[in-house]
Amino acid sequence: MQFFVDTANLDHIREAAELGILDGVTTNPSLMAKEGISGEKNIMKHYRTICEIVGKDKDVSAEVISTDFKGMVAEGKKLAEIHENIVVKVPMIREGIKAISHFTEIGIRTNCTLIFSAGQAILAAKAGATYLSPFIGRIDDTNWDGMALIKEIFKIYTTQGYETAILAASIRSPLHIVQAAKAGADVVTCPLSAILGLFNHPLTDIGLEKFLADYKKANG
Ligand code: E4P
């Protein structure tokens, strides 16, 4: 399973990249706004910086703002020109599926976002989306089981031989990451805090403390 960070924060992206386990980045308009990035020029520049931080062959999702086919295609082409790492993120709406089909035809990679059902996942795969982003945490927030959707999509994609990668999004905790891996997600995108949470185990800390104390005793 690949690890993406879900942020536009450059420090967080650098920290994740330094771990040596980062495969990519996802952003969305809310995450860009959170970092105070606005205006087309600044937004483009920020995406380029993210691509340069993560380096070669690491996908960076950049989301379109338009909601009509023509606008999405024009915007997506501009985004794809920023850097070879860019994957155009398109919302799961009718015009979005048309745009994804078009991007597939012309060789631009896509991430179909805002996925909340298996039916939507089938449409995105049929359109040739590179990635599909089911929003686990937001489903959990509504008292439904987000991870059950990953399992359902995994079953459908495996049965049908669809090639779209399942990118578990809206991940909120280390446990979500483990559950997504078990459910068959190809990629997980999460805040840096969820990745760092995977390190934690009290027995690791106790064990290391003892190893170091024993070494000190033996070696003075
Ligand atoms: C997906 O790519 C989205 O950016 C993201 O995972 C949404 O997460 P949230 O529900 O925590 O905002």
Side-chain angles (χ1 to χ4, degrees):
M1 185 173 76
Q2 294 199 310
F3 272 46
F4 288 6
V5 269
D6 191 33
T7 183
N9 182 290
L10 300 182
D11 290 335
H12 287 190
I13 295 169
R14 273 191 204 101
E15 201 176 330
E18 278 165 13
L19 288 173
I21 56 157
L22 186 67
D23 300 296
V25 177
T26 52
T27 62
N28 63 39
S30 308
L31 293 171
M32 293 292 272
K34 194 174 162 194
E35 300 306 317
I37 314 296
S38 61
E40 195 183 319
K41 261 194 174 172
N42 292 333
I43 289 173
M44 299 279 181
K45 195 172 154 226
H46 201 73
Y47 283 139
R48 180 181 299 281
T49 307
I50 292 175
C51 291
E52 284 162 2
I53 292 172
V54 294
K56 214 172 145 36
D57 297 332
K58 313 273 182 184
D59 287 351
V60 175
S61 287
E63 189 159 341
V64 296
I65 306 301
S66 306
T67 52
D68 64 298
F69 172 75
K70 261 190 157 180
M72 286 185 191
V73 168
E75 229 186 290
K77 282 182 177 168
K78 263 194 195 172
L79 290 169
E81 274 169 16
I82 298 174
H83 196 281
E84 60 192 6
N85 290 7
I86 293 287
V87 172
V88 179
K89 205 171 177 190
V90 180
M92 166 42 74
I93 53 175
R94 283 166 76 149
E95 295 291 286
I97 285 297
K98 277 205 259 174
I100 290 173
S101 300
H102 178 71
F103 287 134
T104 305
E105 268 174 29
I106 61 172
I108 290 180
R109 289 171 307 133
T110 52
N111 175 354
C112 187
T113 190
L114 290 167
I115 298 295
F116 294 93
S117 78
Q120 292 177 328
I122 292 172
L123 283 173
K126 290 287 291 173
T130 315
Y131 295 103
L132 175 88
S133 291
F135 277 33
I136 304 312
R138 292 194 196 184
I139 296 175
D140 286 357
D141 290 344
T142 61
N143 205 21
W144 288 64
D145 182 357
M147 219 46 80
L149 178 60
I150 298 288
K151 290 181 196 154
E152 196 182 3
I153 296 171
F154 177 75
K155 192 166 179 202
I156 292 168
Y157 278 19
T158 309
T159 308
Q160 297 297 328
Y162 291 146
E163 286 174 4
T164 300
I166 304 170
L167 192 169
S170 184
I171 291 289
R172 305 273 170 81
S173 66
L175 184 60
H176 264 165
I177 297 177
V178 174
Q179 289 171 334
K182 286 202 310 207
D186 299 290
V187 189
V188 76
T189 190
C190 42
L192 178 65
S193 58
I195 297 178
L196 296 181
L198 291 173
F199 282 101
N200 300 337
H201 200 291
L203 290 180
T204 304
D205 301 337
I206 293 168
L208 181 61
E209 209 176 305
K210 178 148 175 41
F211 284 156
L212 296 180
D214 289 345
Y215 176 86
K216 211 173 166 187
K217 245 189 262 164
N219 294 275

